[in-house]
């Protein structure tokens, strides 16, 4: 369900979110800021796909959410990784690595 | 799940997004952008907030569920805004679905529902096809008790075979005697059916071994509860059945009510006790007495066809064997042939055996078809209402289409509308159905021997709503909803987008055409119903006009059965004569007489006869009765030739044959055509050993014996020596005023003798026409309803058309047309619809007419009079419905019409 304007696939966005949250609980804005870094350098991430993704991950039980006081003093919804989410992240990282490796292999082949 | 937290979820999402938004604005402002710029930038980055919300909502709950819920709430809201539409639509469907469900309840219970026994699909009915060369009594599908026991030995095909017969007994639990229905059964009845006891035990084969040795009975659960108060100590108690004591050994399971849905027995008695239960009956072991229905349970891997084929060799061998036995009646060679060519028939019988079913099979399906047509009409009505409403929503729909809604989505909304109406109508209809069912059950003719008796045991039919009925109602509602919604949904899909937005009234002509088609279809269906109703009403009329053939004013009848009260035949006869004497001397009585069998009960004593005129020949079945000398005078039946019975005709003791007989006109016409009947010898029975020793002494005019419809050949013998009879009394004053006096007269002769079926003969006539009454009343009622529904539809369309064509009519009037032509415009439109509807409906009526032919009397399905009346009724009603809109058209002011938009 990612917007057709930005080519990052839904699965990749999910993986990135899980990774970002694994470093520590974060609210939607914070995750967006991190994703901005990525989009500045390589790929653009639609802010509009972020929140549906967050809620989907929460529905699936990979993220847990709670309302806490943020760094500005106002209340914000913080997402953190669940045990199942941690496991899923490992699985995704694994698949990503294998995919990257396979792609690299093909590139090496064609270069030879 | 998420549905209930909806509000909280929405609020939180709102907060979340707002937090994000404000943080971004802050950040942008900090980097130097002015507030307005920062705001705009943040907005652009976030993209469409509404879209984000929608996508998150999709995560919470699937899209189609949300759409459906939204459609539902939208429907409810819009319905509440137009209460008259909503109420009319719901009422229409409530009527249609309620009526269909009510009739279906009866159809299900009587025709479809299997018995509440173990694996009813393995039950079969075994019957004799061909000449059984046997005498008997009872209803249908009868065979003898020995054949049943023989079949029970055929373990290759059957797990077991039982037989049963219903009879009326005089029952006493303590003090008073009342008639009750009892079922005489072979010992293995309960085990083969797989029915167990609620208390105590059931009958087994051991109870059926030796005649008269097992005075036991099993009572029904209902009898136990209502008559014995559900007392736990009934086991071992004695009941007096025809004055014989029987010990109660058990109470049957609560759901079991016998195998005949039309007649529920109070108790079951082993066949070994049949001599006590049926006074004067000694033929239990006689192979040539047929009086029981034989049913069996097939083995697990056996089909009824296989069993039937497999049994033929055994059956043929049995036929040969039977013929060689001593006591086989003397019959002609021709009949012998017929006997040997008989075969045995095995048919599936998961619903048991019922005379009521046989009688009501066709009428019920006819009624079911009628209610289905009514439901179709109601759906068409609602369709029309929706279309009318739809054209008022043209702009809304056009706007939605312009905003990007798919036509499928809109169609779904409309379908939800109609489904909601249909489900509400169905719910209300199901709630009202039990009342309708109860009324119907009261209208139903009583089946089988209950009409012979005074028994009030009734049928196993009930008005409860069970799961099957609910499922049927649900299915009918959904079907009605879809049907009603098709036209509007299809219509909306075709609507031109631009034109619907442009004009204020909307381009609704295509919807008018569709509405006209709907009204035409309604007219056609209504014609079918009205003609059907006309046919049934004419049938009933014809039958009532024909009458029983004798005057029924102040004529009362009741039955006395002394033998059931334990008297011998001779004693019983003396009692009856004394009662007859006493009644005759009562001041309120004009005349009184006695007949062995009652008239107008649907049954009779019948037998073929042998006539010795110039040559000897035998007849087909003749309806027979024996009557006292004053019978025909009491009944007001004309004597055409010869004389009435008198003392000369009483046979001396020891004389076996009747001395005299009186026959009716039909008998003379058919068998003695031209000859002088008085003096000719006849006798009962048609075998070669029949001796025609009875002289015909008189001829009476035709009158009804079994029922109003039949005009059979009848013969009457003198009443003598019988212990049971029906009294016919012509009283002074009205019938019911004499009841008390008659009762006290009988009581004065014998206080314990019950009167059965004390009623006026006029009421008996009405009862015998119960089915016809039911058909006429119901189809008439439905016909009127159908007419109303169609008229409402017609009025709606014409009213709309006038509104639509106001400008056109105004222009015509401005150009010089008279108001008359405006009226004619509207009426012509209405008449066209009616005539088209009639044109479609008439062929349908004529092609379906064949199906109801058997229910009619003296009127053909293609009866031109009925059709003409129906067509006339529809045309005038149609014109009446169009009258108001036509008047409105005639008073259109041209300037107003042109000015208004």
């Amino acid at each position: 369900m990612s917007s057709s304007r930005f080519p990052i696939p839904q699965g990749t966005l999910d993986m990135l979110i899980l990774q970002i949250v694994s470093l520590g609980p974060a609210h939607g804005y914070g995750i967006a800021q991190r994703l901005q870094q990525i989009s500045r350098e390589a790929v653009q991430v639609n802010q509009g796909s972020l929140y549906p993704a967050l809620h989907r991950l929460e529905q699936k039980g990979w993220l847990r959410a709670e309302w806490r006081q943020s760094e500005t003093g106002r209340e914000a919804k913080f997402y953190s990784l669940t045990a199942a989410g941690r496991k899923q992240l490992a699985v995704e990282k694994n698949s990503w690595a294998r995919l990257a490796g396979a792609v690299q292999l093909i590139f090496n082949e064609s270069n030879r | 799940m998420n549905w209930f937290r909806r509000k909280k979820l929405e609020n939180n999402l709102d907060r979340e997004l707002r937090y994000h938004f404000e943080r971004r604005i802050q950040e942008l402002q900090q980097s130097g952008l002015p507030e307005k710029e920062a705001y705009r930038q943040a907005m652009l980055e976030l993209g469409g907030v509404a879209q984000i919300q929608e996508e998150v909502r999709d995560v919470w709950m699937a899209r189609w569920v949300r759409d459906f819920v939204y459609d539902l709430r939208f429907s409810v809201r819009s319905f509440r805004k137009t209460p008259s539409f909503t109420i009319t639509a719901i009422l229409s469907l409530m009527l249609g679905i309620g009526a269909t469900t009510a009739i279906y309840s009866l159809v299900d219970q009587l025709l479809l529902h299997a018995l509440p026994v173990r694996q009813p699909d393995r039950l079969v009915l075994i019957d004799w096809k061909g000449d059984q060369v046997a005498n008997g009594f009872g209803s249908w599908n009868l065979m003898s008790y020995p054949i049943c026991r023989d079949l029970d030995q055929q373990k290759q095909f059957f797990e077991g075979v039982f037989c049963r017969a219903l009879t009326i007994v005089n029952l006493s639990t303590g003090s008073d005697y009342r008639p009750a229905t009892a079922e005489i059964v072979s010992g293995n009845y309960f085990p083969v059916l797989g029915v167990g006891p609620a208390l105590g035990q059931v009958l087994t084969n051991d109870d059926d071994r030796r005649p008269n040795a097992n005075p036991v009975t099993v009572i029904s659960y209902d009898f136990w509860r209502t008559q014995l108060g559900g007392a736990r100590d009934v086991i071992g108690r004695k009941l007096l059945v025809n004055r014989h004591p029987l010990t109660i050994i058990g109470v049957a399971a609560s759901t079991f009510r016998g195998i005949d849905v039309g007649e529920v027995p109070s108790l079951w008695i082993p066949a070994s006790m049949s001599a006590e239960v049926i006074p004067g009956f000694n033929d239990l072991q006689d192979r040539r007495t047929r009086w029981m229905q034989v049913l069996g349970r097939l083995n697990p891997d056996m089909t009824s066809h296989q069993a039937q084929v497999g049994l033929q060799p055994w059956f043929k061998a049995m036929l040969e064997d039977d013929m060689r036995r001593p006591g086989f009646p003397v019959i002609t060679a021709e009949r012998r042939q017929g006997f040997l060519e008989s075969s045995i028939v095995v048919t599936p019988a998961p619903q048991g055996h019922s005379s009521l079913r046989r009688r009501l099979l066709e009428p019920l399906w006819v009624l079911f078809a009628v209610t289905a047509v009514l439901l179709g009409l109601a759906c068409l009505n609602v369709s029309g209402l929706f279309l009318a409403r739809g054209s008022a929503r043209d702009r809304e729909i056009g706007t939605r289409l312009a905003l990007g809604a798919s036509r499928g989505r809109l169609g779904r909304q409309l379908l939800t509308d109609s489904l909601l109406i249909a489900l509400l109508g169905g719910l209300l209809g199901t709630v009202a159905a039990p009342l309708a069912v109860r009324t119907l059950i009261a209208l139903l003719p009583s089946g089988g021997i209950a009409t012979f008796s005074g028994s009030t045991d009734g049928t196993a039919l009930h008005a409860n709503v069970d799961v099957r009925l609910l499922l049927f109602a649900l299915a009918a509602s959904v079907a009605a909803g879809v049907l009603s919604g098709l036209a509007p949904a299809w219509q909306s899909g075709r609507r031109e987008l631009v034109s619907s937005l442009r004009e204020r009234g909307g381009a609704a002509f295509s919807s008018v055409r569709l509405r006209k088609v709907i009204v035409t279809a309604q007219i056609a269906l209504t014609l079918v119903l009205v003609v059907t109703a006309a046919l049934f009403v004419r049938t009933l009329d014809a039958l009532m006009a024909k009458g029983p053939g004798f005057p029924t004013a102040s004529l009362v009848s009741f039955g006395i059965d002394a033998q059931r009260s334990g008297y011998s035949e001779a004693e019983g006869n003396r009692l009856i004569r004394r009662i007859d004497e006493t009644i005759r001397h009562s001041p309120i009585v004009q005349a009184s007489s006695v007949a062995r069998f009652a008239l107008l009960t649907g049954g009779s004593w019948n037998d073929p006869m042998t006539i010795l005129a110039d040559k000897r020949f035998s007849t087909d079945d003749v309806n027979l009765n024996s009557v006292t000398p004053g019978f025909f005078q009491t009944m007001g039946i004309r004597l055409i030739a010869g004389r009435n019975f008198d003392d000369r005709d009483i046979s001396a003791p020891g004389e076996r044959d009747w001395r005299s007989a009186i026959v009716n006109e039909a008998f003379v016409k058919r068998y003695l055509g031209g000859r002088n009947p008085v003096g000719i010898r006849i006798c009962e029975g048609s075998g070669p050993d029949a001796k025609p020793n009875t002289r015909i002494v008189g001829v009476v005019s035709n009158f009804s014996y079994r029922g109003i419809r039949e005009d059979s050949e009848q013969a009457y013998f003198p009443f003598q020596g019988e212990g049971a009879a029906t009294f016919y009394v012509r009283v002074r004053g009205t019938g019911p005023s004499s009841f008390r006096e008659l009762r006290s007269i009988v009581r004065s002769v014998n206080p314990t003798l019950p009167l059965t079926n004390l009623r006026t003969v006029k009421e008996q006539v009405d009862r015998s026409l119960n089915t016809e009454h039911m058909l006429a009343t119901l189809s008439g009622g439905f016909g009127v309803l159908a007419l109303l529904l169609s008229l409402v539809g017609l009025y709606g369309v014409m009213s709309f058309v006038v509104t639509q064509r106001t400008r056109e009519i105004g222009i015509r009037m401005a150009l010089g047309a008279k108001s008359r032509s405006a009226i004619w415009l509207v009426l012509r439109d209405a008449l066209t619809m009616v005539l088209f509807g009639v044109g479609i409906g008439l062929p349908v009526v004529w092609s379906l007419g064949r199906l109801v032919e058997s229910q009619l009397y003296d009127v053909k399905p293609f009866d031109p009079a009925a059709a003409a009346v129906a067509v006339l009724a529809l045309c005038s009603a149609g014109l009446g419905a169009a009258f108001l809109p036509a008047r409105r058209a005639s008073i259109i002011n041209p300037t107003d019409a042109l000015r208004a938009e």
Side-chain angles (χ1 to χ4, degrees):
Chain A
M1 254 191 322
S2 59
S3 170
S4 54
R5 292 184 290 145
F6 302 94
I8 185 167
Q10 173 183 312
T12 319
L13 179 59
D14 287 357
M15 184 180 68
L16 290 174
I17 292 174
L18 287 176
Q19 172 63 22
I20 293 170
V21 175
S22 74
L23 303 174
H27 51 59
Y29 184 66
I31 298 172
Q33 281 187 311
R34 290 293 184 82
L35 287 173
Q36 281 286 80
Q37 289 174 333
I38 300 171
S39 59
R40 261 200 291 274
E41 282 149 41
V43 176
Q44 189 99 43
V45 175
N46 182 12
Q47 305 287 342
S49 1
L50 176 63
Y51 285 96
L54 282 171
H55 282 260
R56 192 172 49 245
L57 293 170
E58 185 187 353
Q59 182 102 309
K60 284 191 178 159
W62 296 336
L63 290 181
R64 183 191 317 120
E66 63 172 339
W67 284 85
R68 288 205 325 239
Q69 214 182 39
S70 70
E71 52 275 18
T72 61
R74 298 229 314 278
E75 278 226 334
K77 190 175 180 187
F78 278 81
Y79 293 90
S80 49
L81 209 56
T82 62
R86 208 171 291 279
K87 231 180 287 182
Q88 180 67 17
L89 179 58
V91 167
E92 300 248 4
K93 273 180 164 171
N94 198 1
S95 320
W96 178 258
R98 283 178 31 223
L99 176 65
V103 169
Q104 193 59 45
L105 215 61
I106 294 172
F107 284 161
N108 293 345
E109 285 266 338
S110 45
N111 274 346
R112 203 165 298 135
Chain B
M1 6 82 222
N2 276 343
W3 171 255
F4 301 107
R5 298 164 35 215
R6 233 167 62 248
K7 236 195 169 78
K8 185 154 174 240
L9 289 171
E10 294 275 349
N11 281 342
N12 281 348
L13 181 62
D14 216 36
R15 281 166 70 192
E16 208 179 347
L17 290 176
R18 190 161 319 150
Y19 178 82
H20 179 113
F21 194 58
E22 285 165 4
R23 282 291 299 266
R24 185 65 183 139
I25 291 179
Q26 250 181 5
E27 186 184 328
L28 285 171
Q29 281 186 306
Q30 276 167 358
S31 66
L33 249 53
E35 188 178 343
K36 266 211 177 68
E37 259 313 302
Y39 185 85
R40 205 179 68 87
Q41 177 102 339
M43 281 286 272
L44 281 172
E45 277 175 8
L46 206 50
V49 173
Q51 177 135 357
I52 298 178
Q53 282 177 325
E54 274 296 301
E55 289 188 15
V56 173
R57 285 188 196 123
D58 281 345
V59 172
W60 291 334
M61 194 161 34
R63 176 70 69 88
W64 68 268
V65 175
R66 285 197 297 128
D67 281 353
F68 181 69
V69 171
Y70 176 80
D71 284 346
L72 218 59
R73 294 175 71 198
F74 188 83
S75 301
V76 171
R77 244 180 317 167
S78 62
F79 287 147
R80 284 172 65 179
K81 275 194 270 195
T82 55
S84 60
F85 160 86
T86 314
I87 291 178
T88 316
I90 293 182
L91 276 182
S92 299
L93 284 180
M94 165 182 159
L95 207 70
I97 298 176
T100 318
T101 306
I103 298 284
Y104 178 79
S105 171
L106 284 182
V107 166
D108 184 50
Q109 288 182 63
L110 203 56
L111 307 178
L112 301 176
H113 206 81
L115 290 175
V117 300
R118 174 170 61 96
Q119 293 185 306
D121 47 303
R122 276 167 48 201
L123 289 178
V124 290
L125 178 73
I126 306 166
D127 198 13
W128 185 302
K129 183 166 161 198
D131 189 349
Q132 208 174 145
V133 184
N135 288 320
F137 52 93
S139 51
W140 307 96
N141 312 112
L142 304 168
M143 291 210 284
S144 68
Y145 179 76
I147 289 184
C148 163
R149 303 310 319 201
D150 288 346
L151 280 165
D152 191 36
Q153 304 298 323
Q154 303 294 317
K155 295 298 183 198
Q156 184 192 359
F157 305 104
F158 301 112
E159 211 179 279
V161 172
F162 64 88
C163 45
R164 48 79 77 174
L166 275 172
T167 186
I168 306 296
V169 297
N170 225 356
L171 185 63
S172 170
T173 50
S175 48
D176 62 327
Y177 285 85
R178 38 179 284 284
T181 314
E183 196 169 351
I184 302 178
V185 298
S186 59
N188 55 358
Y189 179 82
F190 287 102
V192 172
L193 280 174
V195 173
L199 205 64
Q201 20 169 305
V202 291
L203 297 175
T204 60
N205 267 326
D206 290 331
D207 299 311
D208 199 22
R209 286 198 200 289
R210 289 165 313 149
N212 309 323
N214 298 90
V216 295
T217 178
V218 170
I219 57 177
S220 77
Y221 190 84
D222 289 334
F223 182 82
W224 174 55
R225 284 234 93 106
T226 55
Q227 301 298 326
L228 299 175
R232 295 243 125 215
D233 63 341
V234 284
I235 311 296
R237 261 212 253 173
K238 289 209 199 303
L239 288 179
L240 285 178
V241 172
N242 292 352
R243 307 262 173 145
H244 297 286
L246 293 181
T247 313
I248 301 177
I249 61 166
V251 177
S254 57
T255 53
F256 186 64
R257 290 192 167 81
I259 65 165
D260 186 338
V261 66
E263 297 190 78
V264 178
S266 299
L267 57 160
W268 287 274
I269 303 174
S272 56
M273 302 299 295
S274 54
E276 279 80 16
V277 180
I278 304 179
F281 178 71
N282 291 312
D283 299 320
L284 183 64
Q285 301 294 346
D286 181 18
R287 297 186 78 89
R288 307 257 72 78
T289 299
R290 45 191 267 266
W291 60 295
M292 300 185 105
Q293 281 97 21
V294 178
L295 292 97
R297 179 180 287 281
L298 289 170
N299 281 331
D301 44 358
M302 182 70 49
T303 67
S304 59
H305 182 77
Q306 285 172 336
Q308 178 169 319
V309 168
L311 280 171
Q312 298 304 339
W314 163 83
F315 186 71
K316 293 289 185 208
M318 185 201 76
L319 290 176
E320 299 277 346
D321 194 52
D322 273 1
M323 266 198 4
R324 281 193 284 269
R325 278 179 200 246
F328 191 80
V330 180
I331 52 176
T332 60
E334 198 184 341
R335 257 192 104 184
R336 204 180 292 260
Q337 178 97 347
F339 177 74
L340 289 172
E341 282 171 2
S342 306
S343 59
I344 197 152
V345 177
V346 178
T347 45
Q351 298 124 355
H353 178 275
S354 173
S355 318
L356 190 64
R357 179 179 307 129
R358 208 189 158 104
R359 199 166 156 188
L360 289 182
L361 184 72
E362 276 201 37
L364 270 186
W365 281 123
V366 167
L367 279 177
F368 188 68
V370 166
T371 52
V373 169
L374 197 70
L375 183 59
L377 262 175
C379 290
L380 285 175
N381 217 37
V382 172
S383 241
L385 284 171
F386 267 117
L387 281 177
R389 186 162 159 271
S391 53
R393 292 172 64 186
D394 256 354
R395 295 200 78 208
E396 171 212 328
I397 291 182
T399 312
R400 286 174 81 171
L401 282 172
L403 285 174
S406 67
R407 291 188 191 268
R409 181 78 183 78
L410 281 177
R412 251 191 301 155
Q413 164 82 63
L414 292 167
L415 218 58
T416 312
D417 275 356
S418 59
L419 268 174
L420 188 62
I421 294 271
L423 285 171
L424 281 175
L427 193 68
L428 287 175
T430 313
V431 165
L435 186 63
V437 177
R438 220 166 295 154
T439 322
L440 279 171
I441 293 179
L443 280 176
L444 281 181
S446 41
I449 63 173
T451 41
F452 286 95
S453 77
S455 162
T456 52
D457 288 322
T459 66
L461 298 173
H462 58 78
N464 305 331
V465 177
D466 59 4
V467 177
R468 281 167 76 122
L469 204 62
L470 279 175
L471 285 178
F472 176 81
L474 186 65
S477 305
V478 169
V482 170
L483 211 64
S484 311
L486 272 183
W490 182 70
Q491 182 63 42
S492 78
R494 294 180 63 233
R495 197 164 278 124
E496 271 288 317
L497 177 55
V498 176
S499 54
S500 62
L501 285 173
R502 191 199 305 141
E503 287 190 38
R504 282 251 242 119
F509 286 112
S510 49
S511 100
V512 171
R513 189 135 40 97
L514 192 57
R515 288 179 69 188
K516 286 189 178 178
V517 167
I518 286 180
V519 170
T520 310
Q522 280 186 291
I523 303 268
L525 288 179
T526 307
L527 185 74
V528 173
L529 286 187
V530 171
V531 170
T532 310
L535 290 175
F536 286 138
V537 168
R538 277 194 62 176
T539 297
L540 182 64
D541 251 359
L543 285 171
M544 300 215 65
K546 176 176 189 253
F550 50 81
T552 57
S554 304
L555 191 59
V556 172
S557 69
F558 61 89
I560 297 274
D561 192 327
Q563 286 182 277
R564 275 198 223 130
S565 293
Y567 295 101
S568 70
E569 201 171 7
E571 287 170 346
N573 187 249
R574 270 198 294 274
L575 272 172
I576 287 177
R577 287 196 183 280
R578 275 211 13 232
I579 296 174
D580 190 33
E581 274 295 311
T582 322
I583 287 182
R584 227 171 293 152
H585 286 113
S586 164
I588 67 157
V589 170
Q590 276 185 42
S592 158
S593 61
V594 175
R596 174 67 184 88
F597 291 103
L599 304 178
L600 300 168
T601 58
S604 70
W605 163 29
N606 54 62
D607 228 353
M609 306 190 81
T610 306
I611 302 179
L612 188 60
D614 26 311
K615 64 176 171 65
R616 180 197 164 99
F617 61 98
S618 27
T619 68
D620 288 334
D621 276 339
V622 176
N623 286 328
L624 305 168
N625 211 337
S626 59
V627 297
T628 52
F631 180 75
F632 298 111
Q633 284 133 324
T634 310
M635 302 297 283
I637 295 166
R638 210 162 45 98
L639 190 69
I640 296 181
R643 61 169 178 81
N644 258 313
F645 289 135
D646 54 38
D647 290 329
R648 290 177 269 171
D649 305 302
I650 309 290
S651 310
E655 221 181 305
R656 286 195 57 199
D657 303 317
W658 281 284
R659 286 190 185 171
S660 329
I662 295 179
V663 297
N664 71 347
E665 262 184 289
F667 185 95
V668 173
K669 187 160 167 204
R670 180 157 175 205
Y671 297 120
L672 304 174
R675 284 182 277 248
N676 179 13
V678 178
I680 291 185
R681 291 171 185 272
I682 60 174
C683 74
E684 193 189 347
S686 59
D689 58 342
K691 295 194 242 316
N693 285 332
T694 312
R695 292 195 120 86
I696 297 178
V697 298
V699 181
V700 288
S701 60
N702 290 329
F703 63 94
S704 305
Y705 183 160
R706 293 172 78 120
I708 309 272
R709 279 182 192 246
E710 48 90 47
D711 296 299
S712 59
E713 299 87 35
Q714 298 157 11
Y716 297 88
F717 301 115
F719 185 86
Q720 58 189 72
E722 317 270 13
T726 303
F727 282 75
Y728 284 92
V729 184
R730 183 97 46 192
V731 299
R732 298 186 212 279
T734 65
S737 60
S738 66
F739 287 171
R740 203 142 58 108
E741 173 70 12
L742 289 171
R743 255 193 255 272
S744 69
I745 289 178
V746 173
R747 228 184 324 208
S748 71
V749 173
N750 184 311
T752 65
L753 220 48
L755 279 81
T756 56
N757 296 331
L758 176 60
R759 57 175 79 107
T760 61
V761 173
K762 182 160 186 317
E763 196 196 321
Q764 186 66 33
V765 169
D766 285 340
R767 273 176 173 239
S768 73
L769 292 176
N770 244 341
T771 316
E772 284 82 3
H773 265 293
M774 175 179 78
L775 282 174
T777 315
L778 288 179
S779 66
F782 289 149
V784 168
L785 282 173
L787 208 57
L788 279 176
L789 284 174
S790 295
L791 291 187
V792 167
L794 189 60
Y795 171 80
V797 171
M798 291 324 301
S799 192
F800 184 77
V801 164
V802 168
T803 312
Q804 279 302 107
R805 297 174 80 176
T806 304
R807 286 188 78 195
E808 173 199 340
I809 297 175
I811 292 174
R812 283 178 190 239
M813 305 261 260
L815 289 177
K818 301 233 192 356
S819 61
R820 226 183 322 143
S821 69
I823 296 183
W824 176 236
L825 197 84
V826 177
L827 289 184
R828 188 185 60 198
D829 226 354
L831 258 182
T832 318
M833 272 190 274
V834 171
L835 289 176
F836 259 102
V838 165
I840 299 174
L842 277 179
V844 172
V845 166
W846 285 332
S847 62
L848 293 181
R850 218 174 315 266
L851 297 173
V852 297
E853 196 155 14
S854 57
Q855 299 298 319
L856 302 177
Y857 181 80
D858 199 31
V859 53
K860 287 252 159 297
F862 332 107
D863 185 56
V869 163
V871 170
L872 219 64
L874 275 172
C875 284
S876 41
L879 288 175
F883 171 70
L884 278 174
R887 242 196 106 239
R888 203 152 51 88
S890 72
I891 59 173
I892 285 179
N893 189 334
T895 36
D896 288 337
L898 289 168
R899 201 185 309 139
E901 252 283 42

